[in-house]
Amino acid sequence: MPENIYTGFHAVEERVRRFAEASKQEESLALFYAKPGPRIKKIISLAKEAGIPVELCDERALDTMVRGLPQEARDHRGIVLRARGEAERPQNYVQLDQWLSVCPESATVILLDSVTDPHNVGAILRSCDQFAAQLLIVPERRGASDIQDNGIIARASAGASAYIPVAIVPNLARAAEQLKAAGFWIYGADAGGSPLQECAFAAKTCFVMGSEGSGISRLLAQKCDTMVSIPTCGRIDSLNVSVAAGIILYERHRQRIAQAR
């Protein structure tokens, strides 16, 4: 039976909450912890209310459980959640809080809000690879999140879907808050924003790309620090979202090269 391991307070708590809220339980979860602090005690309480088995063990046992995870996910912080029965995650899928704990001082992140066309997601992944973006964030719902299992995304990305780190999150607004707490400046792509070439991007930069139909959601737009736009001269309303993402990522990459000289 496939087994996934969750580490980190936020990732474990969110997975426990999703289990508790599910109308039909198709997975089997088990929680393991050592030396519980206030945050772990809260998660234990939630797990017990949801009927999830909870077991006290030592740090070495937790270390063994996470041994096969990517390096950034092995910092379990004294709590590990084992989920059996859910689909196995590809190796390049990461937990956002764990990635933030090890991300470099200069980093570029793309956050997709309701971008459901797999061709667009694949093309954006390809631009992430070409212009050195370190992470793509997509929502569990209202987004093309099954990146590895989607043949269209894989083809459109020219293989980038296999190794660009991807974080699938339950709540984009909360993800934006986590990014800001980690020192990221959030830039929303919007036709009414400041011209792209006039923006000096922060060392830690996140670009929010909205769907072509509705753009960035109101709640997520409120989390953005600045809106940026791409000056155009055509007759149609806007650029395709994947083309816009590529242009924005290029400008970000160009600025980083210029600063390094």
Side-chain angles (χ1 to χ4, degrees), residues 9-235:
F9 298 144
H10 181 76
V12 171
E13 183 174 342
E14 286 293 339
R15 187 63 184 87
V16 168
R17 288 186 184 278
R18 293 207 315 272
F19 181 86
E21 294 168 359
S23 57
K24 182 179 180 181
Q25 306 296 357
E26 297 180 351
E27 301 91 18
S28 172
L29 271 59
L31 187 70
F32 303 87
Y33 71 95
K35 300 179 180 178
R39 185 73 183 272
I40 291 179
K41 288 180 179 178
K42 176 185 175 183
I43 297 172
I44 290 172
S45 177
L46 291 171
K48 289 181 176 179
E49 290 177 7
I52 298 171
V54 176
E55 182 178 331
L56 174 65
C57 57
D58 59 30
E59 292 278 347
R60 287 179 297 178
L62 298 183
D63 292 341
T64 299
M65 292 180 194
V66 303
R67 188 174 296 161
L69 298 180
Q71 185 64 44
E72 66 271 9
R74 294 179 193 169
D75 181 14
H76 51 71
R77 305 181 192 178
I79 189 166
V80 171
L81 181 71
R82 185 182 66 203
R84 288 179 173 170
E86 66 178 18
E88 189 173 0
R89 295 191 305 268
Q91 285 297 310
N92 64 316
Y93 279 30
V94 299
Q95 297 169 21
L96 179 57
D97 60 336
Q98 291 288 346
W99 186 88
L100 288 173
S101 70
V102 297
C103 76
E105 287 302 315
S106 179
T108 305
V109 171
I110 289 281
L111 190 155
L112 302 185
D113 182 14
S114 302
V115 178
T116 57
D117 186 332
H119 294 93
N120 283 332
V121 176
I124 290 169
L125 279 163
R126 191 170 184 174
S127 293
C128 286
D129 171 62
Q130 291 298 297
F131 300 123
Q134 285 89 353
L135 180 68
L136 179 74
I137 301 176
V138 295
E140 284 184 338
R141 300 182 179 88
R142 301 182 305 281
S145 58
D146 295 328
I147 288 172
Q148 283 286 3
D149 297 329
N150 192 310
I152 296 174
I153 292 177
R155 289 192 296 273
S157 74
S161 63
Y163 52 86
I164 293 296
V166 175
I168 299 176
V169 299
N171 187 299
L172 291 177
R174 191 176 303 161
E177 291 174 354
Q178 287 181 264
L179 288 163
K180 294 177 82 166
F184 278 81
W185 195 266
I186 312 294
Y187 300 86
D190 184 85
S194 301
L196 184 66
Q197 70 273 18
E198 296 178 6
C199 298
F201 298 119
K204 289 184 175 181
T205 284
C206 172
F207 296 112
V208 178
M209 308 301 301
S211 69
E212 291 173 326
S214 57
I216 301 172
S217 66
R218 180 185 58 81
L219 182 59
L220 188 55
Q222 292 174 351
K223 303 295 182 182
C224 294
D225 297 297
T226 303
M227 293 294 179
V228 297
S229 65
I230 301 171
T232 58
C233 58
R235 294 183 177 87

